[in-house]
């Protein structure tokens, strides 16, 4: 099956990434502006996650398959690495990030979302 990655169910994926970009970006912005000294690593990682979500939203919207694949890989690696580190070294994460505990605070959607995105891109190649 070939076709555009920004049509059909791809539009729902774009909407979810846009929503996550807004949610993660807003949360990180408030945390950085009001309490950055409490958990600078966690809040910076949440801002990074928001940037990845923005990049994915734009890449999927424009049909930039290669950029979307790279961004999805970064997102999946981030969720797995940060998720594991947040459980192993809880002192390093005094507050949650978007990717802490594999996205537990976001109903594990950050863990599932890159897998759905990779599947969608694979089906549309």
């Amino acid at each position: 099956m070939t076709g555009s990655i920004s049509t059909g169910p791809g539009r729902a994926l774009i909407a979810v990434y846009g929503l996550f970009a807004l949610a993660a970006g807003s949360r990180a912005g408030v945390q950085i502006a009001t309490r950055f000294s409490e958990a600078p690593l966690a809040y910076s990682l949440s801002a990074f996650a928001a940037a990845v979500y923005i990049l994915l939203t734009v890449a999927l919207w424009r049909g930039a398959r290669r950029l979307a694949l790279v961004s999805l890989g970064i997102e999946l690696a981030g969720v797995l690495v940060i998720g594991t580190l947040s459980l192993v070294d809880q002192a390093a994460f005094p507050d949650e990030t978007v990717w802490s505990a594999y996205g537990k605070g976001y109903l594990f959607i950050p863990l599932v979302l890159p897998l759905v995105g990779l599947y969608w891109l694979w089906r549309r190649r």
Side-chain angles (χ1 to χ4, degrees):
M1 175 182 276
T2 60
S4 174
I5 60 175
S6 63
T7 61
R11 288 185 181 179
L13 197 57
I14 292 166
V16 171
Y17 272 114
L19 181 63
F20 264 73
L22 182 63
S26 298
R27 176 181 176 178
V30 168
Q31 290 170 325
I32 288 170
T34 61
R35 343 178 276 191
F36 185 72
S37 62
E38 293 176 21
L41 177 62
Y43 301 153
S44 297
L45 287 170
S46 285
F48 177 74
V52 171
Y53 292 143
I54 291 167
L55 187 61
L56 272 162
T57 303
V58 172
L60 291 168
W61 180 267
R62 293 181 153 219
R65 182 181 306 277
R66 186 167 295 175
L67 179 58
L69 281 170
V70 169
S71 300
L72 286 164
I74 291 168
E75 178 192 10
L76 184 58
V79 171
L80 295 175
V81 170
I82 301 308
T84 301
L85 289 176
S86 68
L87 295 174
V88 172
D89 187 9
Q90 294 178 357
F93 296 91
D95 201 354
E96 291 187 353
T97 73
V98 175
W99 294 338
S100 291
Y102 308 108
K104 179 181 174 185
Y106 288 85
L107 305 173
F108 298 102
I109 295 170
L111 178 61
V112 175
L113 202 52
L115 299 174
V116 171
L118 289 168
Y119 176 76
W120 175 249
L121 289 178
W122 179 75
R123 292 235 343 146
R124 302 303 289 181
R125 62 187 162 116

